[in-house]
Structure formats: C-alpha cells, structure tokens
Amino acid sequence: YITRTFLELPDFEECKQAILERGQRFQMISLAARDRIAAQAAAFVPNNGTVLTHGYSRVVANILLEAAKKANKHFDLIVLEGRPDAAGVKAAQFYVQKGIPVRLCLDAAMGTIMEQVDVVLVGAEAIAENGGVINKVGTNALACCAAANNKPMYVAAESYKFARLYPLQQSDLPTGAKPDDPEIQQSIQFCDTSASASKNKSSLTPIPLDAAIEVHHPSVDFTPSKFITLLFTDLGVLTPSAVSDELIRLYQ
C-alpha cells in the first residue's frame, strides 16, 4: 500500500504526495475499523461481570468504552501488568481516567484471579493465516490459562492485521535480536520492587546481572487458534478458521 508507491510514481514529489495521501487514508480506514469492531463487540462484554485484558490495545479500549458509555454496562476490568514496557500500568491509568473500575494484577498471577473472570479480551499485533494470534508476550500463557478455566478468549483486531503467515510454534516467529546480544543485556534492568526492599529509598537500585546469564527477552508470542473463542474484526465476528477464507478473498 505504501512501499509500492515508488514503483507506481517515479517522480519523487508525486511519490511523496501520494504517500502522504495514502497515509491519511489509512488512518481514516483504521479509525473506522475500530468503530465498527467496537459496535459489534460491545455486546460480548458482560454486564456486571469481570473482563481481563493484557497490555494496551486501542481496539480493546474502543470496545470497553463503547460498552461502558454507549451500552451503559457496568463491569470490572482486570489489567495484567507485564514487562518490559509497563503497558499494563499505562492501560490501567487510561481506563480509570475514563471511569472504568480497574484492578492491576501481575501477569505471573493470572492463574490466581482467573476464577474471578468472565471473559478475556485482548488485541493483536497480527492474525496468522491459521487463525492464531501474534501479540504481546504473555498472551499465549493467558490463553492457556483461560482455556483451562473454561473462560472465553476473545481477540480484537482490524482486518489489515491479517497476515499470510503460518506459524505452528513459538520458534516460527521472527526472533529479532539474539537473546545474548550485549545491547539486550545492558538494556534490561532487574529490581526488587517489594516494599521491604524499596523502603526509605528514593529510587530502586538495579540488581547487577552476571554476564554469563543469558536473557530471553521476546516482545511477542504466538497463540494457537485452538485457544481462541472468537475474533472481533471490522469484517464481522469471526471464528479463527475464517481468517484463511478472508485472506483468499483479499488476494484473489
């Protein structure tokens, strides 16, 4: 959509103008897609129930605000807090400012609160051709936990995130930088955030990490389609198996 522009328009100024126009058009398409998804998916948010989400997704935010403001539903929201970008903390701050009751929970403790949850709702970085989901690391563990507790797992994403990828396991995803890359070793810091450790300290002191310790630091993981109940998209509410059909239509 964008990268092909220079092939279609060899003149630089025309190419630049076309890229700007296409970027603005894509922004409008994206905003409209989120509104369509929210209008359909708000019905799946249980009134007087509890929703669990992971990280921050603009599509999920639209759905929850649609349910709370327009559908006038009352529900509690649990947000999982996870490394390394503090997305859960930022999401919790956003939702509480919008008047939605929020609890912040460590992602490692998802199993301890799953019994209190009615539905799990997350966004996606990409939807694979096999109906699986690529999203913030921890989503796969969350989906497994939800399935073990018979909780529905909903994923919300715009259809432009449908990708012609067919991962079967975690190792099929692009790894990016190597786990033992010195830059990664230096960029990650570990702190003891317990009350006893941080008492009387203005700032937390990082714990030195031995150079012999390899840090595994993925940003995303893959969730197989068998753990996903429904996909909320601008094309409608789909089962994971419908993604391949939509991709066939798109590339015909």
Side-chain angles (χ1 to χ4, degrees):
Y1 190 71
I2 300 297
T3 54
R4 292 178 182 174
T5 306
F6 79 98
L7 297 174
E8 300 168 3
L9 301 168
D11 181 77
F12 177 74
E13 289 301 324
E14 291 182 6
C15 180
K16 184 171 71 171
Q17 185 60 34
I19 289 175
L20 291 173
E21 291 175 357
R22 291 184 182 189
Q24 291 171 350
R25 193 181 309 136
F26 180 77
Q27 181 184 33
M28 297 305 297
I29 290 172
S30 180
L31 291 173
R34 290 177 209 157
D35 290 340
R36 284 197 295 272
I37 294 170
Q40 299 174 86
F44 292 84
V45 176
N47 193 28
N48 298 317
T50 300
V51 179
L52 174 62
T53 191
H54 181 46
Y56 177 74
S57 163
R58 287 173 291 187
V59 182
V60 170
N62 272 30
I63 293 171
L64 296 177
L65 292 178
E66 176 86 11
K69 306 301 181 182
K70 295 185 179 180
N72 199 30
K73 290 185 175 182
H74 302 278
F75 57 89
D76 293 326
L77 180 64
I78 299 175
V79 179
L80 296 182
E81 188 278 318
R83 290 175 62 92
D85 56 359
V89 175
K90 297 171 187 175
Q93 292 279 35
F94 170 81
Y95 288 120
V96 79
Q97 290 170 5
K98 297 296 183 180
I100 297 176
V102 180
R103 276 185 287 166
L104 191 62
C105 178
L106 289 174
D107 54 356
M110 64 178 74
T112 67
I113 48 88
M114 188 59 70
E115 63 187 26
Q116 306 171 31
V117 173
D118 293 298
V119 300
V120 178
L121 176 60
V122 298
E125 298 289 333
I127 307 293
E129 191 170 356
N130 57 10
V133 171
I134 300 169
N135 193 43
K136 179 177 172 62
V137 66
T139 303
N140 179 52
L142 176 59
C144 293
C145 187
N149 287 270
N150 295 314
K151 307 294 183 178
M153 177 78 179
Y154 299 138
V155 177
E158 305 91 333
S159 60
Y160 62 75
K161 291 184 177 178
F162 288 5
R164 299 183 74 179
L165 301 172
Y166 209 96
L168 298 176
Q169 54 193 2
Q170 305 301 326
S171 59
D172 292 333
L173 297 181
T175 55
K178 295 181 180 179
D180 57 353
D181 189 320
E183 292 186 4
I184 289 185
Q185 296 278 1
Q186 295 171 7
S187 65
I188 301 176
Q189 294 184 337
F190 299 90
C191 302
D192 185 350
T193 58
S194 62
S196 58
S198 59
K199 189 176 182 181
N200 299 324
K201 292 184 180 180
S202 57
S203 61
L204 296 172
T205 303
I207 300 172
L209 189 66
D210 194 292
I213 299 175
E214 181 180 298
V215 178
H216 184 56
H217 185 231
S219 59
V220 297
D221 60 23
F222 172 68
T223 303
S225 59
K226 64 181 180 180
F227 295 120
I228 299 167
T229 308
L230 289 172
L231 298 170
F232 300 146
T233 78
D234 49 300
L235 301 177
V237 179
L238 307 176
T239 60
S241 61
V243 175
S244 59
D245 295 334
E246 296 298 335
L247 280 169
I248 290 172
R249 293 192 187 95
L250 179 63
Y251 286 96
Q252 275 181 340

